[in-house]
Amino acid sequence: MVIEKSVLPDKFSAGPHGLGDPEDKTLRKVEKEVLIPKLMREKARAEKCIKEVADFNQCCLDSSIFMVVKCREENSIMKSCLTSWYQNDDFKKLCTEEYLKERSEYRKSGVKKSVRRA
C-alpha cells in the first residue's frame, strides 16, 4: 500500500486519519473569524442569556406581525446580554479552548461531534 503525500502542509494533513495534527493549537483565519464566533453565539444564546432569549421569543410569538414594534425592548435587552458575552475575553478563551478540544478529538477519531456517541 502506497501512502500518497498531500499537497497540504503537514499540520492540515498529518494525524491518524489525514485530517491534521491533533496536537496543533494554531488557528486558521476562518476558525478565528467564523467558527469560534459562531460557537460563542450558540453558547451565549443557550447558556448565558437564556431568560432574555426566551422573553424575546415569547414576545414575538404573542405579537405576531407587530413584533417589530412591540418587542423592541425585549430585543434590545437580549442584544445587550449577547453583546456583553461576545466582548468578554474569558468567554472567548473558553470557547476557543472548547473548539480546539473538539477539533483535536475529530482529528484523532475521524468522527464529527454530532455523530460521535457519548
Side-chain angles (χ1 to χ4, degrees), residues 99-115:
Y99 173 80
L100 287 171
K101 183 179 174 190
E102 286 177 16
R103 185 182 75 176
S104 177
E105 201 55 41
Y106 168 68
R107 288 179 173 182
K108 286 177 189 173
S109 67
V111 180
K112 291 189 179 184
K113 180 184 174 191
S114 59
V115 179

mmCIF file of all heavy atoms in Angstrom, residues 99-115:
data_model
loop_
_atom_site.group_PDB
_atom_site.id
_atom_site.type_symbol
_atom_site.label_atom_id
_atom_site.label_comp_id
_atom_site.label_asym_id
_atom_site.label_seq_id
_atom_site.Cartn_x
_atom_site.Cartn_y
_atom_site.Cartn_z
ATOM 1 N N TYR A 99 -13.422 24.735 21.241
ATOM 2 C CA TYR A 99 -13.306 24.471 19.809
ATOM 3 C C TYR A 99 -12.062 23.632 19.513
ATOM 4 O O TYR A 99 -12.119 22.648 18.766
ATOM 5 C CB TYR A 99 -13.261 25.777 19.008
ATOM 6 C CG TYR A 99 -12.986 25.526 17.557
ATOM 7 C CD1 TYR A 99 -14.001 25.115 16.703
ATOM 8 C CD2 TYR A 99 -11.698 25.644 17.040
ATOM 9 C CE1 TYR A 99 -13.743 24.839 15.375
ATOM 10 C CE2 TYR A 99 -11.429 25.368 15.716
ATOM 11 C CZ TYR A 99 -12.456 24.967 14.878
ATOM 12 O OH TYR A 99 -12.189 24.676 13.565
ATOM 13 N N LEU A 100 -10.917 24.014 20.099
ATOM 14 C CA LEU A 100 -9.671 23.279 19.866
ATOM 15 C C LEU A 100 -9.769 21.840 20.371
ATOM 16 O O LEU A 100 -9.244 20.916 19.740
ATOM 17 C CB LEU A 100 -8.492 24.000 20.528
ATOM 18 C CG LEU A 100 -8.042 25.287 19.844
ATOM 19 C CD1 LEU A 100 -7.030 26.028 20.706
ATOM 20 C CD2 LEU A 100 -7.480 25.006 18.458
ATOM 21 N N LYS A 101 -10.451 21.641 21.485
ATOM 22 C CA LYS A 101 -10.638 20.292 22.023
ATOM 23 C C LYS A 101 -11.474 19.445 21.062
ATOM 24 O O LYS A 101 -11.135 18.296 20.783
ATOM 25 C CB LYS A 101 -11.308 20.376 23.398
ATOM 26 C CG LYS A 101 -11.477 19.040 24.073
ATOM 27 C CD LYS A 101 -12.122 19.217 25.429
ATOM 28 C CE LYS A 101 -12.435 17.862 26.033
ATOM 29 N NZ LYS A 101 -13.263 17.979 27.215
ATOM 30 N N GLU A 102 -12.564 20.019 20.552
ATOM 31 C CA GLU A 102 -13.415 19.296 19.598
ATOM 32 C C GLU A 102 -12.652 18.998 18.308
ATOM 33 O O GLU A 102 -12.771 17.901 17.756
ATOM 34 C CB GLU A 102 -14.671 20.110 19.271
ATOM 35 C CG GLU A 102 -15.685 20.134 20.384
ATOM 36 C CD GLU A 102 -16.890 21.002 20.049
ATOM 37 O OE1 GLU A 102 -17.091 21.346 18.858
ATOM 38 O OE2 GLU A 102 -17.636 21.341 20.971
ATOM 39 N N ARG A 103 -11.884 19.973 17.826
ATOM 40 C CA ARG A 103 -11.115 19.776 16.596
ATOM 41 C C ARG A 103 -10.072 18.686 16.794
ATOM 42 O O ARG A 103 -9.882 17.823 15.929
ATOM 43 C CB ARG A 103 -10.447 21.086 16.176
ATOM 44 C CG ARG A 103 -9.729 20.969 14.828
ATOM 45 C CD ARG A 103 -9.039 22.238 14.458
ATOM 46 N NE ARG A 103 -7.820 22.385 15.268
ATOM 47 C CZ ARG A 103 -6.961 23.373 15.124
ATOM 48 N NH1 ARG A 103 -7.180 24.328 14.238
ATOM 49 N NH2 ARG A 103 -5.888 23.448 15.881
ATOM 50 N N SER A 104 -9.396 18.689 17.933
ATOM 51 C CA SER A 104 -8.393 17.672 18.225
ATOM 52 C C SER A 104 -9.040 16.283 18.280
ATOM 53 O O SER A 104 -8.507 15.318 17.738
ATOM 54 C CB SER A 104 -7.704 17.994 19.548
ATOM 55 O OG SER A 104 -6.779 16.996 19.879
ATOM 56 N N GLU A 105 -10.187 16.199 18.924
ATOM 57 C CA GLU A 105 -10.906 14.927 19.023
ATOM 58 C C GLU A 105 -11.316 14.437 17.633
ATOM 59 O O GLU A 105 -11.197 13.250 17.328
ATOM 60 C CB GLU A 105 -12.140 15.122 19.909
ATOM 61 C CG GLU A 105 -12.695 13.873 20.519
ATOM 62 C CD GLU A 105 -11.695 13.057 21.322
ATOM 63 O OE1 GLU A 105 -10.873 13.605 22.069
ATOM 64 O OE2 GLU A 105 -11.740 11.823 21.177
ATOM 65 N N TYR A 106 -11.773 15.332 16.787
ATOM 66 C CA TYR A 106 -12.141 14.981 15.412
ATOM 67 C C TYR A 106 -10.923 14.483 14.642
ATOM 68 O O TYR A 106 -10.986 13.484 13.922
ATOM 69 C CB TYR A 106 -12.763 16.184 14.703
ATOM 70 C CG TYR A 106 -12.913 15.988 13.212
ATOM 71 C CD1 TYR A 106 -13.811 15.056 12.702
ATOM 72 C CD2 TYR A 106 -12.153 16.725 12.317
ATOM 73 C CE1 TYR A 106 -13.951 14.862 11.345
ATOM 74 C CE2 TYR A 106 -12.282 16.547 10.947
ATOM 75 C CZ TYR A 106 -13.179 15.612 10.468
ATOM 76 O OH TYR A 106 -13.312 15.424 9.105
ATOM 77 N N ARG A 107 -9.802 15.171 14.796
ATOM 78 C CA ARG A 107 -8.591 14.773 14.083
ATOM 79 C C ARG A 107 -8.071 13.416 14.565
ATOM 80 O O ARG A 107 -7.495 12.664 13.800
ATOM 81 C CB ARG A 107 -7.510 15.847 14.225
ATOM 82 C CG ARG A 107 -7.814 17.088 13.412
ATOM 83 C CD ARG A 107 -6.752 18.145 13.589
ATOM 84 N NE ARG A 107 -6.963 19.267 12.679
ATOM 85 C CZ ARG A 107 -6.163 20.312 12.603
ATOM 86 N NH1 ARG A 107 -5.098 20.402 13.386
ATOM 87 N NH2 ARG A 107 -6.412 21.294 11.748
ATOM 88 N N LYS A 108 -8.296 13.101 15.837
ATOM 89 C CA LYS A 108 -7.861 11.804 16.370
ATOM 90 C C LYS A 108 -8.771 10.672 15.915
ATOM 91 O O LYS A 108 -8.313 9.595 15.563
ATOM 92 C CB LYS A 108 -7.852 11.833 17.905
ATOM 93 C CG LYS A 108 -6.732 12.614 18.507
ATOM 94 C CD LYS A 108 -6.854 12.632 20.021
ATOM 95 C CE LYS A 108 -5.855 13.591 20.634
ATOM 96 N NZ LYS A 108 -6.076 13.751 22.080
ATOM 97 N N SER A 109 -10.083 10.911 15.949
ATOM 98 C CA SER A 109 -11.043 9.840 15.706
ATOM 99 C C SER A 109 -11.560 9.788 14.271
ATOM 100 O O SER A 109 -11.968 8.736 13.805
ATOM 101 C CB SER A 109 -12.240 9.982 16.652
ATOM 102 O OG SER A 109 -12.982 11.147 16.326
ATOM 103 N N GLY A 110 -11.599 10.936 13.594
ATOM 104 C CA GLY A 110 -12.181 10.981 12.258
ATOM 105 C C GLY A 110 -13.699 11.041 12.278
ATOM 106 O O GLY A 110 -14.348 10.966 11.248
ATOM 107 N N VAL A 111 -14.287 11.174 13.473
ATOM 108 C CA VAL A 111 -15.734 11.211 13.621
ATOM 109 C C VAL A 111 -16.141 12.584 14.141
ATOM 110 O O VAL A 111 -15.607 13.059 15.140
ATOM 111 C CB VAL A 111 -16.218 10.120 14.610
ATOM 112 C CG1 VAL A 111 -17.729 10.157 14.767
ATOM 113 C CG2 VAL A 111 -15.760 8.752 14.148
ATOM 114 N N LYS A 112 -17.099 13.220 13.452
ATOM 115 C CA LYS A 112 -17.554 14.539 13.889
ATOM 116 C C LYS A 112 -18.347 14.424 15.184
ATOM 117 O O LYS A 112 -18.911 13.395 15.501
ATOM 118 C CB LYS A 112 -18.410 15.189 12.800
ATOM 119 C CG LYS A 112 -17.607 15.554 11.595
ATOM 120 C CD LYS A 112 -18.413 16.382 10.631
ATOM 121 C CE LYS A 112 -17.517 16.741 9.441
ATOM 122 N NZ LYS A 112 -18.167 17.607 8.515
ATOM 123 N N LYS A 113 -18.407 15.543 15.929
ATOM 124 C CA LYS A 113 -19.028 15.562 17.257
ATOM 125 C C LYS A 113 -20.488 15.122 17.216
ATOM 126 O O LYS A 113 -20.921 14.356 18.050
ATOM 127 C CB LYS A 113 -18.933 16.970 17.851
ATOM 128 C CG LYS A 113 -19.556 17.070 19.218
ATOM 129 C CD LYS A 113 -19.541 18.484 19.728
ATOM 130 C CE LYS A 113 -20.289 18.586 21.038
ATOM 131 N NZ LYS A 113 -20.510 19.939 21.432
ATOM 132 N N SER A 114 -21.262 15.589 16.250
ATOM 133 C CA SER A 114 -22.678 15.276 16.206
ATOM 134 C C SER A 114 -22.937 13.782 15.967
ATOM 135 O O SER A 114 -23.963 13.263 16.361
ATOM 136 C CB SER A 114 -23.384 16.094 15.121
ATOM 137 O OG SER A 114 -22.801 15.808 13.861
ATOM 138 N N VAL A 115 -21.975 13.081 15.361
ATOM 139 C CA VAL A 115 -22.137 11.669 15.068
ATOM 140 C C VAL A 115 -21.592 10.810 16.213
ATOM 141 O O VAL A 115 -22.075 9.724 16.478
ATOM 142 C CB VAL A 115 -21.412 11.296 13.744
ATOM 143 C CG1 VAL A 115 -21.547 9.824 13.444
ATOM 144 C CG2 VAL A 115 -21.950 12.146 12.612
#
